[in-house]
Amino acid sequence: MEYISDVQAKQMILEVGRRMYQGGFVAANDGNISCKVGDNEIWATPTGVSKGFMTEDMLVKLDLEGNVLEGTHKPSSEIKMHLRVFKENPKVQGVVHAHPLTATAFACAGISLEEPVLMEGVLLLGCVPLVHFALPEAVAPYCREYNAVLLANHGALTWGDNLMQAYYRMETTEYYAKILMMNNFILGKKTLLSQGQVDDIIRIRAGWGITTGGRPIGPESAQNLEDICISRKNK
């Protein structure tokens, strides 16, 4: 497997950090970013530093056991989730954790993102299951089949074949959540993609070499979820 260089990885982490901060995906020192540069080496963001104001000397190089190889700063304790994703899915080369407002609101409400309302959501991201604990062992079962998860009462975690793909999946997760928020709680109306349309989109996705993402829930299950959302709203 080919990897990007240390220099490229560090530059990309800083760029993703700036985009996350400027996009309002993190506040203060929230969030983590990691990028794989070897079979047993990653670069990661440090703890206690704003993702919008990092410099290369702040970044930390680790092995997949969490041992620091380079750097003077400490990695976040949440790096354990990143390490678990890398271990569970060797194809992954980038992981992003953030607290985008709408997606995090869904996570805090205990609602996953699985309704087929947005073609791009099915095509580029797929389903985003809810994980009930922000712990490595809770995330582990999802790392090979999906591209993202919501962390209950915490935020979102995305990964990809490279760091920019992982970041774009975070953007799509937030956009998907905004669409569902508008449909379910503001407009109170939506049109779901048919199962035939979902089948077509998944075939296109597979043709692009994307074999992960899961399958959105069907109209019947989506109606049940809508009933739950309405019930919660009326309480």
Side-chain angles (χ1 to χ4, degrees):
M1 182 177 291
E2 294 184 3
Y3 299 99
I4 62 174
S5 69
D6 288 355
V7 172
Q8 291 171 315
K10 289 189 284 187
Q11 291 174 345
M12 195 173 295
I13 288 173
L14 297 187
E15 176 62 24
V16 169
R18 284 190 290 267
R19 294 189 185 198
M20 285 170 53
Y21 184 78
Q22 292 169 359
F25 286 11
V26 290
N29 300 331
D30 295 347
N32 327 108
I33 307 163
S34 59
C35 183
K36 198 173 184 183
V37 292
D39 291 343
N40 192 39
E41 296 177 327
I42 67 167
W43 280 98
T45 48
T47 188
V49 175
S50 169
K51 303 306 166 292
F53 298 93
M54 294 184 297
T55 56
E56 286 192 16
D57 61 294
M58 295 177 180
L59 303 182
V60 187
K61 194 175 191 179
L62 310 163
D63 64 21
L64 294 188
E65 299 303 317
N67 299 307
V68 175
L69 304 176
E70 292 184 38
T72 57
H73 286 62
K74 292 182 179 180
S76 166
S77 60
E78 292 180 339
I79 196 64
K80 293 177 182 177
M81 284 195 297
H82 296 235
L83 296 174
R84 189 59 178 265
V85 175
F86 287 124
K87 287 181 179 180
E88 293 290 333
N89 190 342
K91 293 182 179 178
V92 170
Q93 293 196 26
V95 181
V96 173
H97 167 53
H99 302 161
L101 186 61
T102 315
T104 301
F106 271 83
C108 291
I111 304 173
S112 59
L113 306 177
E114 299 184 82
E115 297 182 81
V117 296
L118 181 68
M119 187 186 77
E120 289 79 6
V122 179
L123 186 62
L124 303 175
L125 182 67
C127 303
V128 184
L130 178 73
V131 176
H132 290 285
F133 299 98
L135 298 171
E137 55 268 26
V139 171
Y142 301 91
C143 297
R144 289 180 178 270
E145 186 176 350
Y146 296 93
N147 302 312
V149 293
L150 295 184
L151 305 169
N153 301 98
H154 191 65
L157 187 73
T158 60
W159 51 88
D161 294 343
N162 56 69
L163 181 53
M164 287 309 301
Q165 185 182 58
Y167 169 70
Y168 288 144
R169 284 172 173 170
M170 183 64 72
E171 283 193 346
T172 305
T173 296
E174 175 64 359
Y175 192 73
Y176 184 13
K178 286 180 178 179
I179 296 294
L180 284 177
M181 179 72 79
M182 291 288 292
N183 285 148
N184 289 339
F185 299 101
I186 298 176
L187 298 176
K189 183 179 180 180
K190 61 176 174 279
T191 300
L192 299 176
L193 295 167
S194 71
Q195 289 307 294
Q197 289 172 319
V198 171
D199 290 339
D200 290 341
I201 295 169
I202 289 178
R203 278 193 288 270
I204 293 171
R205 189 171 75 184
W208 288 2
I210 303 173
T211 59
T212 53
R215 183 186 180 86
I217 60 177
E220 182 178 347
S221 298
Q223 181 62 53
N224 292 337
L225 179 58
E226 182 175 7
D227 292 340
I228 292 171
C229 292
I230 292 172
S231 175
R232 288 178 176 173
K233 183 180 179 181
N234 292 334
K235 283 184 179 180

